[in-house]
Amino acid sequence: MTQINKLKIFNDPIYGFISIPNALIYDLIQHPYFQRLRRISQMGLSYLVYPGANHTRFHHALGCMHLMQKAVDVLRFKAVEISEEEENALYIAILLHDIGHGPFSHAMEKSIVEDVHHEEISLLFMRQLNVEFKGKLSLAIKIFEGDYHRKFMLQLISSQLDMDRMDYLKRDSFYSGVAEGNVNSERLIQMMNVEDDVLVIEEKGIYSVEKFLMSRRLMYWQAYLHKTSLVAELVLTKILKRAKELTIKGAILPCSEPLQFFMQNKIDLNSFDTATLDLFSQLDDFDIISALKAWQRQDDFILSSLSKMIINRDLLKIHLTSDKVAIDDLTPLKERLALEYNISIADTNYFIFKGKIKNQAYNKEAEPIRILKKDRTVEDVIESSDQLNLKSLSKSVTKYYICFPKQLV
């Protein structure tokens, strides 16, 4: 039997060639759990706004691993000791950090799977893979859970300046064409160091950090919280909730077996066993889109109307405001719609609803981004920066929205 060469390379449009560091990483990438990420969009329904935003979580995971390879090289060059086992664990943890995302993940988390966060599902996948790979992921899981004594390793995977954010900002900016999100990840990684087992950025990298935080703020307003992306995700959440509601009442809706399972059963973290995880691993964007195509022709007026909105990109109107929306503001709209569609006031909640969104580029309450000064003291980037805009970036900006059918304008 011929030995497969597992030290392959991927050609990435952003970083050029990405190399697979060893056979274990190759085998993890080849696993069906990971290959599923090729069928999960990185930016959900944002392609309805930015036609180029069709890249996947598979792209993103490989990009994160590539940045982690760069970070390990830089830190070792600066005499930070990282053993081969720790290095490998970092690659595994960052590669698998998003493996628990479902199709159009945020809509899924709020409708079909009951309040189970994708990070919790990622951990379930990692534990299952650890069984299959005979314990070779144990250290990666320990780091991912924050149980490892070397704190900076978790910060490389999950913090306010981690490989995940560095890749998705740069990648999402590239594919969407929103140039403001393009961060200088190379420079940021070159400026990294470790002081008292905590990740720091050297003082001369402070302007790169400021640019990174500003890019994050702008990407949220222009891409992730773009009003059309937002309303599309909200409509999808309503569709999945309605489909689940009808299924529980006994309706048989055409869709794939894995999707049918999650619609028929109330799944929370406690009921997420190995069999459930296996069914979840068979779910991807194609299950949802093919279901929406079929549901357009269902007898249920709500399900068919909402499904057509996504398929034909003829969405609800969304109005953003700085002021809170009172519940009374919706009543006249609901009454008009109930008459026009001949539905109950309760059913108008699928078409007319309100909510709020928040954007905070830098969270002062969370683990800070630390700047290492020339005198070896460490301080929060907000204290180090001479830019007043960094203080404003740490303020949470809230906007309120109201969604309703266009004919009610």
Side-chain angles (χ1 to χ4, degrees), residues 322-389:
S322 305
D323 306 315
K324 271 188 179 174
V325 180
I327 199 82
D328 294 345
D329 295 345
L330 307 185
T331 307
L333 291 171
K334 287 184 176 184
E335 287 169 352
R336 276 175 60 194
L337 193 74
L339 276 172
E340 191 171 329
Y341 283 179
N342 193 24
I343 57 175
S344 69
I345 290 288
D347 284 347
T348 61
N349 292 327
Y350 280 100
F351 299 95
I352 299 171
F353 46 89
K354 67 185 185 78
K356 64 181 179 181
I357 49 174
K358 279 186 178 181
N359 187 359
Q360 187 177 18
Y362 184 70
N363 185 355
K364 284 191 293 191
E365 308 305 313
E367 181 94 32
I369 296 175
R370 295 177 175 88
I371 301 297
L372 179 66
K373 306 195 78 161
K374 290 185 176 69
D375 62 3
R376 306 302 291 179
T377 58
V378 175
E379 65 182 19
D380 189 323
V381 66
I382 288 208
E383 308 307 320
S384 291
S385 171
D386 55 7
Q387 297 292 313
L388 288 171
N389 65 6

Side-chain angles (χ1 to χ4, degrees), residues 76-87:
R76 277 183 173 158
F77 180 75
K78 294 178 181 179
V80 177
E81 277 188 38
I82 299 172
S83 70
E84 197 175 317
E85 190 193 3
E86 287 170 332
E87 175 188 7

Side-chain angles (χ1 to χ4, degrees), residues 46-87:
S46 291
Y47 63 81
L48 294 175
V49 182
Y50 301 107
N54 274 306
H55 57 302
T56 66
R57 295 201 176 272
F58 184 86
H59 285 127
H60 166 61
L62 292 176
C64 290
M65 183 191 71
H66 173 75
L67 293 182
M68 187 66 86
Q69 287 171 291
K70 298 278 182 202
V72 167
D73 288 347
V74 165
L75 294 176
R76 277 183 173 158
F77 180 75
K78 294 178 181 179
V80 177
E81 277 188 38
I82 299 172
S83 70
E84 197 175 317
E85 190 193 3
E86 287 170 332
E87 175 188 7

Side-chain angles (χ1 to χ4, degrees), residues 112-116 244 261-273 276 280:
I112 287 190
V113 180
E114 311 284 326
D115 298 320
V116 186
K244 187 157 188 169
F261 171 83
F262 283 96
M263 298 228 288
Q264 288 171 344
N265 297 281
K266 185 176 165 67
I267 301 296
D268 56 21
L269 194 57
N270 296 327
S271 54
F272 232 105
D273 56 17
T276 307
F280 187 87

Side-chain angles (χ1 to χ4, degrees), residues 196-228:
D196 296 328
D197 248 344
V198 169
L199 194 66
V200 292
I201 300 291
E202 291 165 3
E203 193 174 12
K204 55 183 182 252
I206 193 163
Y207 299 116
S208 301
V209 176
E210 289 175 4
K211 165 73 167 61
F212 169 83
L213 292 172
M214 183 56 81
S215 297
R216 188 163 185 265
R217 174 190 163 81
L218 295 174
M219 274 300 281
Y220 267 84
W221 286 136
Q222 279 188 253
Y224 311 131
L225 297 176
H226 185 286
K227 64 179 190 174
T228 307

Side-chain angles (χ1 to χ4, degrees), residues 146-205:
D147 287 341
Y148 195 54
H149 66 280
R150 305 195 73 188
K151 195 175 175 183
F152 78 90
M153 293 193 174
L154 176 62
Q155 291 172 307
L156 288 168
I157 296 156
S158 179
S159 65
Q160 297 204 70
L161 188 63
D162 55 24
M163 302 305 116
D164 175 33
R165 290 182 185 192
M166 276 189 220
D167 182 80
Y168 78 62
L169 287 172
K170 198 172 181 70
R171 191 168 298 280
D172 296 351
S173 161
F174 176 87
Y175 281 97
S176 64
V178 178
E180 288 81 358
N182 189 9
V183 297
N184 190 347
S185 49
E186 290 272 317
R187 166 84 176 161
L188 283 163
I189 289 170
Q190 286 298 328
M191 293 297 106
M192 284 184 167
N193 210 328
V194 172
E195 189 75 9
D196 296 328
D197 248 344
V198 169
L199 194 66
V200 292
I201 300 291
E202 291 165 3
E203 193 174 12
K204 55 183 182 252

